[in-house]
Amino acid sequence: MEQVTDWLIANQDLIINYGIKFVVALAILFVGKIIAKVISKTIKKLLTKKEFDKTVVSFIGSLVYGIFIIITFIVAISHLGFNTSSLVAIVGAAGLAIGLALQGSLSNFASGILLITLKPFKSGDFIDVSGTSGIVEEINIFATKLRTGDNKAVIIPNGRITSSNIINFSAKPMRRIDLVIGVGYSADLAQTKEILTRVASSHELVLKDQAITVGVSELADSSVNFVVRPWVKTSDYWPVYYALLETIKVELDNAGIEIPFPQMSVHVNQENSNES
């Protein structure tokens, strides 16, 4: 017991010094944890105000909190006199290994952040991306879910989306319908143009304040091709598209204007053989 007491007396300055350092290290951990929570909550609030996806907000908040806790821990043990160079190297190597192992997932994650930040499309938009067309149902952190016209769910990794062209059919309030109508070379072009213009302009959903283009676009092999280009609201595109095609066919038939179609002529040669 006397030896312990003597050792304590002899090393009391060292013990007090390390005791103070230990208390300071605990204080650093405590304060660092509070700062990490405050910064994490602040970032979450800012991202929520910017209408970021909840999954992204939660992930980024947790990531920021974890980074600050690691930094706080390194600062605390450094204050105790430990060499943190090797620890930092280990953390860096571990981060690199994890990054390489999750390369595809991290690429999809980064792409998800870009999609949510830049917002090339949103839920409910009709888009064509990576060879698939459909309505956007969900934009998650790693993948985007589309619903096709025949009610199939298609999950596309975000990395594929950002690396390909994105066509957003819902981005603008108006769309132009492009129809190509072919008539025979014997048709009266003036009459045909009048019928096409009347049909397009008389539809109730065609926008009257936008010019309708009707004109000859091509003298094809077996037909004279007209373009019919009215403007409609984006939500009315397909109903008007189908209705115009049907009405144009009926009106051209009523006017006796032929719509050419591919035909094949078969010639049969009969050879008469003389019987002896």
Side-chain angles (χ1 to χ4, degrees):
M1 187 67 181
E2 291 181 358
Q3 292 179 348
V4 174
T5 303
D6 293 341
W7 183 87
L8 291 174
I9 294 173
N11 297 279
Q12 62 180 347
D13 292 338
L14 181 64
I15 294 172
I16 293 173
N17 184 38
Y18 271 102
I20 294 174
K21 286 185 177 181
F22 184 76
V23 171
V24 173
L26 290 178
I28 291 174
L29 289 174
F30 179 75
V31 174
K33 185 176 182 180
I34 295 176
I35 294 175
K37 285 184 177 180
V38 171
I39 294 177
S40 177
K41 288 182 179 179
T42 302
I43 291 177
K44 285 183 178 180
K45 288 181 180 179
L46 291 175
L47 294 178
T48 302
K49 287 182 180 180
K50 295 291 185 180
E51 299 181 351
F52 274 64
D53 186 82
K54 291 181 180 179
T55 307
V56 177
V57 173
S58 176
F59 183 86
I60 293 180
S62 300
L63 181 64
V64 170
Y65 179 80
I67 291 174
F68 270 90
I69 289 297
I70 292 175
I71 293 175
T72 301
F73 179 75
I74 293 175
V75 172
I77 62 175
S78 175
H79 185 75
L80 291 175
F82 292 98
N83 185 3
T84 58
S85 300
S86 58
L87 179 61
V88 172
I90 292 172
V91 172
L96 179 61
I98 294 173
L100 292 175
L102 301 176
Q103 186 174 357
S105 298
L106 291 176
S107 174
N108 289 328
F109 171 77
S111 298
I113 296 294
L114 287 176
L115 291 177
I116 295 170
T117 304
L118 301 179
K119 295 181 179 180
F121 53 81
K122 62 182 183 299
S123 295
D125 285 353
F126 181 73
I127 66 172
D128 184 290
V129 63
S130 192
T132 303
S133 298
I135 296 174
V136 180
E137 287 196 327
E138 297 177 12
I139 307 173
N140 297 318
I141 193 64
F142 293 105
T144 296
K145 181 179 179 181
L146 302 184
R147 186 181 78 249
T148 62
D150 54 352
N151 206 33
K152 292 187 294 188
V154 180
I155 311 299
I156 305 177
N158 289 331
R160 286 180 56 190
I161 295 177
T162 55
S163 62
S164 62
N165 294 332
I166 302 173
I167 303 175
N168 189 343
F169 297 101
S170 304
K172 302 296 182 180
M174 296 186 304
R175 283 188 66 185
R176 191 184 72 186
I177 296 177
D178 290 343
L179 298 177
V180 178
I181 307 298
V183 298
Y185 271 89
S186 61
D188 186 323
L189 298 186
Q191 181 187 15
T192 303
K193 184 175 182 179
E194 185 276 327
I195 292 174
L196 296 177
T197 303
R198 172 165 49 81
V199 171
S201 59
S202 61
H203 196 287
E204 59 181 4
L205 295 180
V206 170
L207 299 177
K208 304 302 186 289
D209 58 343
Q210 300 294 323
I212 299 174
T213 301
V214 178
V216 176
S217 64
E218 182 184 13
L219 300 177
D221 293 338
S222 59
S223 65
V224 179
N225 293 336
F226 280 81
V227 290
V228 182
R229 295 173 176 170
W231 289 84
V232 296
K233 292 181 179 179
T234 300
S235 57
D236 297 331
Y237 181 89
W238 290 113
V240 177
Y241 182 94
Y242 297 135
L244 287 181
L245 281 179
E246 181 178 346
T247 306
I248 286 173
K249 174 64 168 65
V250 172
E251 292 296 323
L252 291 180
D253 286 347
N254 291 339
I257 298 176
E258 177 190 7
I259 299 178
F261 57 90
Q263 301 181 46
M264 179 182 293
S265 297
V266 179
H267 300 276
V268 179
N269 297 323
Q270 183 176 2
E271 296 181 359
N272 295 325
S273 59
N274 295 324
E275 296 182 358
S276 57

